[in-house]
Amino acid sequence: MKLQHLLIILGFTLTSSACSNWIYRIDVPQGNFLDQRDVSKLRIGMTKEQVIYVLGNPVVQDSFDDDTWYYVYDMKRGMKKRGEDFQKQMVITFEDGKVTSVEGDFELSEEFNTPLDS
């Protein structure tokens, strides 16, 4: 009798563990999703308002330095078959309210160093 219960429990455990890939898990995106097309619109000398118009508000503004903005996008995949987890970052530095440098995981356009008003 105990052997029969043990075999039933073992069989149930093995069959239920085989179904674990059938459970749907959602992807969890967090932060600012930045498209390469939008990042390519950035130019040196843009004002903070222009950057917000192009990219949206930053996720984090440095509390101690109002001239540094952080754009971070983090994707946690619910299921491995949809791809790996990833994170993209971009840091924009301002001086006198104008863009002086952009660093991060995105390619800047060739026209980045050409101000808009020239």
Side-chain angles (χ1 to χ4, degrees):
M1 190 69 172
K2 286 186 177 188
L3 182 59
Q4 186 179 16
H5 289 309
L6 182 62
L7 288 175
I8 291 172
I9 292 172
L10 182 63
F12 179 74
T13 304
L14 290 175
T15 56
S16 65
S17 66
C19 299
S20 66
N21 288 335
W22 294 356
I23 299 171
Y24 180 76
R25 294 179 190 94
I26 63 169
D27 294 341
V28 180
Q30 293 181 324
N32 292 80
F33 176 77
L34 297 178
D35 193 33
Q36 184 61 47
R37 291 177 303 181
D38 295 333
V39 174
S40 296
K41 294 176 186 176
L42 289 177
R43 300 286 185 271
I44 198 160
M46 288 178 88
T47 65
K48 291 181 179 184
E49 292 80 17
Q50 290 171 323
V51 173
I52 289 173
Y53 181 77
V54 172
L55 300 179
N57 288 313
V59 172
V60 179
Q61 289 182 356
D62 194 335
S63 300
F64 301 105
D65 183 11
D66 190 39
D67 291 333
T68 304
W69 288 2
Y70 299 92
Y71 289 86
V72 180
Y73 182 71
D74 190 33
M75 173 63 84
K76 298 275 188 208
R77 298 287 184 184
M79 302 178 80
K80 292 295 180 192
K81 67 182 178 181
R82 279 191 243 137
E84 294 294 319
D85 297 347
F86 67 91
Q87 183 180 61
K88 291 198 170 218
Q89 301 178 20
M90 186 168 63
V91 180
I92 301 178
T93 307
F94 296 91
E95 188 174 305
D96 296 327
K98 304 213 181 232
V99 174
T100 57
S101 70
V102 177
E103 300 172 357
D105 298 326
F106 294 92
E107 294 288 326
L108 296 175
S109 69
E110 294 176 5
E111 294 87 25
F112 174 76
N113 290 318
T114 306
L116 288 175
D117 54 352
S118 62

